[in-house]
Amino acid sequence: MLAFFGLIAVIGPWIAPFDPDARSTDLMEGPSGKHWLGTTHLGQDIFSQLLVGTRSIILVGVVAGVLATVVAVLVGVTSGYLSGPGAETMSAISNVFLVIPALPLIIIVSSVMPHSGDLMVALIIGMISWAWGARVLRAQTLSLRRRDFVVAAKATGESTFRVVVFEILPNLTAIIASSFIGTVMYAVMTEISLAFIGIPGMSPWNWGVILYWAQTQQALGLGAWWWFVPAGLAIALLGTALSLVNFGIDEIVNPRLRTAGRDLKTPAGRIRMRPGFTPVVRTTPVAVPATPVVKEGAAR
């Protein structure tokens, strides 16, 4: 599903049957062979608007997610593994960025720079939404740096860079992936929200713009379901795809979830694997020594 949206983001403007801004005499028509998802009150093709608007959504989500994840890993892992004033300063900066509201800041920047574009919106979202992931990574790194394998690597003379990259980061894969997916979803919903409330400075067409015009022209009251249902369904499917990818990554890196739902074949029979439970199978009987019975008089 995610690959499908990525493909549409790349080739959507090329395969759109109409110009999303082009007007026609087909006003408020439902889905037909000519207009697959119907038309707007100006005769604009909604299917073309949906295809063209996908690129803006994916661009903002990916750029913001990559930027926020990179900053979160650098700040979180560094402040968690190292100690001293530098680590405490990084932790304090994370706390400051946690309370900065992203939506009002983007509105202010869009008002000051009306032609900022989607890239500027993505950069603002990425530079503001990294703090939560950094805090989680810092807490996990504080726990990992005291583990036996990290202490053993340091005792053998491994450099700090090698210990962090080869010993700590592989154990943070699930958290890093979850942080990236969460930031992408947050960036997508933020851009759609900004477009829905009519904030300028973004691409002329994305899914939020479609919903904005549908709400402005009372599409629900007119019964024009084709105007808002496809965009809403696309948002729901993209969120579902991102969530499924997150669950899949978690199953790959988590040994307890890796075999979830599978049957384990043992000489004693089949064992149904469940997340959170590690079965222990005894293949050979173990003789338990009998406990000697001591009489009360002898014990005294």
Side-chain angles (χ1 to χ4, degrees), residues 24-67:
S24 66
T25 56
D26 303 327
L27 306 180
M28 295 292 290
E29 289 190 359
S32 62
K34 182 179 181 181
H35 301 283
W36 290 3
L37 296 179
T39 60
T40 66
H41 66 297
L42 299 177
Q44 298 167 329
D45 186 67
I46 298 177
F47 180 64
S48 300
Q49 295 177 355
L50 195 67
L51 292 178
V52 174
T54 306
R55 175 176 294 182
S56 172
I57 297 294
I58 300 299
L59 175 65
V60 172
V62 171
V63 172
V66 171
L67 179 60

Side-chain angles (χ1 to χ4, degrees), residues 196-214:
F196 182 73
I197 61 180
I199 299 300
M202 293 177 290
S203 62
W205 289 110
N206 61 49
W207 300 342
V209 175
I210 298 174
L211 296 177
Y212 166 77
W213 286 111

